[in-house]
């Protein structure tokens, strides 16, 4: 990889959590909303278990319990930084971030996790709270088919709604890299997110050409940034 932990460290900043960031036309999801969505998803779950398809940060930070996991391929979907804009988690008002989502077309290889049958409600709530904070969501849960070494599964994932005003699917790789090389929020930088995602995919033998190009472009942009003058700093 061209993008390294050193690149990530250069962008590290201590940014306080600004709290919920309102989006025009959207309102915060309530506890009643979460309860209703969770109940519907559990009722719709296939008889062979409730599996969740991870393609981004859920791969390296699932934040829910699971009893099994497998490499899986989703056809008809691909990874894309197309969900904007993030003014809180890995971006701010001056340098907004852009989030990874599943967009239509192509194929995507990721990981599926099976949630424990005896704790579905608690773990679905954890997942929903992590992935959804506003309604109508630009990033709704949906069931998709995937292929694994253990056979075909119908799994839960979160995919981009192209009709949403938060869809920014027209960004070029160069424009996306500009964002990934600068945006930072209270949870860290976009470069850190990209580094963790690509690193874990490569460790599992999953090579995503789109993300690979972005990590190269992002590293080049960080390398081109002015660096603090170590001599001047030590002199002070």
């Amino acid at each position: 990889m061209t993008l390294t932990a050193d690149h990530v460290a250069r962008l590290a900043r201590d940014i306080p959590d600004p709290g919920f960031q309102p989006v025009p036309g959207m309102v915060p999801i309530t506890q009643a909303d979460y309860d209703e969505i969770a109940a519907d998803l559990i009722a719709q779950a296939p008889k062979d278990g409730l599996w969740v398809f991870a393609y981004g940060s859920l791969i390296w930070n699932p934040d829910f319990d699971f009893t099994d996991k497998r490499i899986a391929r989703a056809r008809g979907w691909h990874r894309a930084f197309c969900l904007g804009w993030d003014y809180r988690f890995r971006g701010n008002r001056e340098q907004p971030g852009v989030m990874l989502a599943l967009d239509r077309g192509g194929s995507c290889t990721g990981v599926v996790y099976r949630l424990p049958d005896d704790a579905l409600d608690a773990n679905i709530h954890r997942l929903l709270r992590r992935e959804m904070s506003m309604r109508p969501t630009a990033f709704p849960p949906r069931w998709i088919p995937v292929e694994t070494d253990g056979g075909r599964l119908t799994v839960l994932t979160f995919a981009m709604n192209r009709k949403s005003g938060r869809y920014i699917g027209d960004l070029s790789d160069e424009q996306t890299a500009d964002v990934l090389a600068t945006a930072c929020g209270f949870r860290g930088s976009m470069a850190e997110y990209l580094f963790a995602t690509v690193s874990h995919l490569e460790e599992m033998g999953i090579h995503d050409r789109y993300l690979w190009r972005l990590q190269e472009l992002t590293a080049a942009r960080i390398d081109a940034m002015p660096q603090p003058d170590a001599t001047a700093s030590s002199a002070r």
Side-chain angles (χ1 to χ4, degrees):
M1 285 179 62
T2 308
L3 185 65
T4 66
D6 179 65
H7 290 107
V8 173
R10 291 186 220 173
L11 300 181
R13 284 185 282 160
D14 186 13
I15 297 178
D17 182 0
F20 178 79
Q21 299 293 290
V23 175
M26 295 184 175
V27 297
I29 291 182
T30 66
Q31 180 62 50
D33 293 328
Y34 284 125
D35 290 342
E36 181 179 356
I37 297 168
D40 286 345
L41 292 175
I42 291 173
Q44 297 165 13
K47 293 181 179 179
D48 56 357
L50 200 162
W51 295 75
V52 176
F53 180 65
Y55 52 86
S57 62
L58 284 179
I59 290 176
W60 44 271
N61 185 23
D63 197 28
F64 50 72
D65 301 325
F66 57 92
T67 58
D68 193 6
K69 71 175 184 178
R70 303 175 189 172
I71 303 295
R73 177 181 290 271
R75 299 191 183 277
W77 300 94
H78 67 281
R79 292 181 184 86
F81 282 100
C82 63
L83 176 58
W85 292 97
D86 176 14
Y87 301 107
R88 181 185 182 187
F89 299 104
R90 293 190 182 270
N92 56 73
R93 286 292 170 180
E94 289 71 37
Q95 297 167 316
V98 58
M99 290 169 277
L100 196 64
L102 274 187
D103 198 6
R104 292 281 185 179
S107 66
C108 176
T109 301
V111 177
V112 287
Y113 296 97
R114 179 170 181 165
L115 301 188
D117 294 336
D118 58 354
L120 284 183
D121 188 69
N123 284 285
I124 281 291
H125 271 86
R126 288 165 64 182
L127 177 64
L128 292 176
R129 288 183 177 279
R130 175 184 168 125
E131 299 297 314
M132 299 169 58
S133 61
M134 293 177 281
R135 61 179 177 84
T137 178
F139 190 52
R142 63 178 299 145
W143 300 96
I144 64 170
V146 298
E147 301 162 1
T148 77
D149 287 344
R152 188 179 176 92
L153 295 170
T154 297
V155 302
L156 179 66
T157 195
F158 294 82
M160 191 70 220
N161 174 12
R162 285 191 172 187
K163 294 182 179 179
S164 170
R166 299 185 67 193
Y167 179 61
I168 49 173
D170 58 349
L171 291 180
S172 68
D173 289 352
E174 288 73 18
Q175 290 172 318
T176 302
D178 288 341
V179 175
L180 298 178
T182 55
C184 188
F186 88 95
R187 280 191 181 167
S189 67
M190 289 299 318
E192 178 185 37
Y193 177 97
L194 178 64
F195 176 74
T197 302
V198 178
S199 296
H200 282 79
L201 287 173
E202 291 292 322
E203 288 173 5
M204 293 185 293
I206 302 171
H207 184 74
D208 186 298
R209 289 180 293 177
Y210 166 71
L211 293 186
W212 191 259
R213 173 167 167 74
L214 285 178
Q215 64 89 23
E216 292 178 332
L217 291 172
T218 300
R221 280 156 173 74
I222 297 173
D223 284 335
M225 293 177 182
Q227 297 299 309
D229 188 330
T231 303
S233 298
S234 61
R236 288 195 294 269

